[in-house]
Amino acid sequence: MSFPRWRGRDVISILDFTREELDRLFNEALEVERDPSRYSSTLEGRIVALAFFEPSTRTLLSFDTAVKRLGGQTIGFASQEALSISKGENLADTIRMLDVYADCIVIRHPCEGSSKFAAEIARSPVINAGDGSQHHPTQAMIDLYTIWRRFGSFSNLTIGVIGDLRYGRAATSFIFGLTIYRPRKLYLISPQMLRVREEVLDVLKKSGVKFEEAESLEEVASELDVLYVTRIQKERFPDPSEYEAVKGSYRIDSKVIRSLKEHAIIMHPLPRVDEISFEVDSSRHAFYFVQASYGIPVRMALLKLVLVGEAGLE
Ligand code: NCD
């Protein structure tokens, strides 16, 4: 079987990838999990720039770890204050410089479209680690991999996504990813004010995936195989009073999990605020820490494919 080329590709949106390409990524990630030592010199002599203009814990550290586990090195920064941006340097010039220093640029930026803009400027591949509320393709890859690992197939699954579906880029990219993997049914559960954006609805409608918008988790909880929870993205609300009106409007606690199916899993891209209570962590449904742990093999596999290509390792 031949797959389209991975090598040298920009990773801007999950929608840029086919199911075959993502399956290729997941099989590579599985190989990484099985035998990480085979990958320990894959990126020898390569430098990856981590350009984080917005706060991050997991994404930044897991990219950093992934590069180092592949035998490569990282350069970068984790806030705008730390570099010449604070002296007024524009994004284009920063990207041009990183392109000279590194073989690949991983960028997180508060502006929508920033990584696409960076990809137009840089010769090296650009990986979007989150652009405003728009896309977070590598988080979606991890989320889809988690389900692929746990259930093998999507076609019999009913998946609920709850939370801030309007400003959440992780939720948006996950929903886009589900139009590629096509579960049996998708419930989009959110307060009225935080429903998915029109452009996301359009993609869903065109995909033909069966979906329903809902306001109450209680009504649908017993049908779900996967419950994907997201935090309300306080920092992205243009009006703080809008945030005040919706904060704390849903909470996954022991009462909610009693209505879940035996095998149902709860996912969350993290960080959580108060939307999953700590008592849930010890339940058999809690899957968010397993999901977070897949950040390393998936990002290792992604960097290998983008920087080295699909050929097997010696
Ligand atoms: C997400 C993000 O930054 O968009 N976090 C992550 O990358 N794991 C989700 C969030 O911040 O809520």
Side-chain angles (χ1 to χ4, degrees):
M1 224 190 294
S2 75
F3 295 98
R5 274 172 36 136
W6 264 97
R7 192 167 169 195
R9 245 173 116 164
D10 297 313
V11 180
I12 306 300
S13 160
I14 192 77
L15 289 173
D16 298 339
F17 296 86
T18 63
R19 185 166 178 158
E20 288 69 30
E21 288 165 340
L22 293 173
D23 280 348
R24 180 71 187 79
L25 171 74
F26 297 164
N27 281 303
E28 190 87 49
L30 200 56
E31 279 308 305
V32 174
E33 277 197 73
R34 283 194 183 130
D35 193 358
S37 64
R38 277 182 67 229
Y39 289 81
S40 60
S41 51
T42 303
L43 289 192
E44 212 168 70
R46 308 287 189 99
I47 295 177
V48 175
L50 304 176
F52 278 65
F53 296 87
E54 238 189 17
S56 170
T57 314
R58 265 152 300 272
T59 308
L60 174 64
L61 294 180
S62 73
F63 264 113
D64 201 3
T65 306
V67 173
K68 287 168 180 162
R69 290 229 183 270
L70 290 165
Q73 294 182 60
T74 57
I75 56 167
F77 51 84
S79 79
Q80 303 212 13
E81 288 76 45
L83 69 164
S84 307
I85 304 287
S86 59
K87 299 183 191 165
E89 183 167 61
N90 64 51
L91 180 62
D93 287 356
T94 307
I95 296 301
R96 277 188 197 101
M97 291 322 304
L98 294 176
D99 199 27
V100 172
Y101 304 148
D103 303 295
C104 172
I105 301 169
V106 179
I107 177 172
R108 167 171 286 197
H109 195 284
C111 295
E112 298 179 359
S114 48
S115 57
K116 191 162 193 307
F117 174 73
E120 279 158 17
I121 293 168
R123 282 171 308 109
S124 321
V126 168
I127 298 178
N128 182 4
D131 63 324
S133 25
Q134 203 140 33
H135 294 292
H136 195 353
T138 67
Q139 183 63 48
M141 288 167 180
I142 294 161
D143 301 340
L144 295 168
Y145 181 72
T146 304
I147 298 174
W148 184 87
R149 276 287 262 107
R150 174 69 181 76
F151 294 102
S153 143
F154 286 67
S155 55
N156 284 326
L157 301 180
T158 298
I159 300 180
V161 187
I162 185 167
D164 187 345
L165 311 185
R166 179 165 160 207
Y167 297 114
R169 59 193 172 198
T172 300
S173 284
F174 178 59
I175 293 166
F176 282 155
L178 291 176
T179 67
I180 303 170
Y181 275 93
R182 313 184 69 81
R184 181 172 54 197
K185 181 148 191 198
L186 177 59
Y187 282 109
L188 304 174
I189 311 150
S190 68
Q192 190 75 24
M193 216 192 264
L194 299 178
R195 287 190 166 188
V196 286
R197 301 189 296 267
E198 211 51 53
E199 91 239 23
V200 182
L201 278 182
D202 285 347
V203 172
L204 270 167
K205 283 178 194 156
K206 280 201 191 100
S207 76
V209 167
K210 205 168 148 201
F211 73 96
E212 216 175 282
E213 293 186 277
E215 264 183 68
S216 141
L217 173 60
E218 284 68 33
E219 283 166 27
V220 302
S222 63
E223 286 180 54
L224 303 178
D225 302 292
V226 176
L227 174 61
Y228 187 98
V229 188
T230 62
R231 86 183 160 90
I232 297 185
Q233 309 278 307
K234 182 179 181 184
E235 70 279 20
R236 306 214 190 276
F237 280 68
D239 176 353
S241 68
E242 250 190 48
Y243 171 73
E244 289 302 320
V246 288
K247 83 169 187 209
S249 52
Y250 53 94
R251 188 176 171 88
I252 312 305
D253 56 18
S254 53
K255 181 167 166 282
V256 172
I257 63 174
R258 274 199 291 277
S259 54
L260 292 176
K261 286 182 190 169
E262 185 90 0
H263 67 261
I265 62 168
I266 299 171
M267 297 172 61
H268 193 305
L270 303 175
R272 73 171 138 181
V273 182
D274 56 5
E275 59 279 355
I276 299 183
S277 57
F278 292 115
E279 71 208 20
V280 176
D281 295 0
S282 56
S283 89
R284 65 174 173 279
H285 303 289
F287 224 67
Y288 26 95
F289 296 121
V290 176
Q291 176 190 0
S293 74
Y294 291 145
I296 303 295
V298 172
R299 290 190 168 116
M300 282 175 72
L302 178 68
L303 288 160
K304 186 261 179 187
L305 288 172
V306 167
L307 281 161
V308 179
E310 289 157 49
L313 300 171
E314 320 287 84

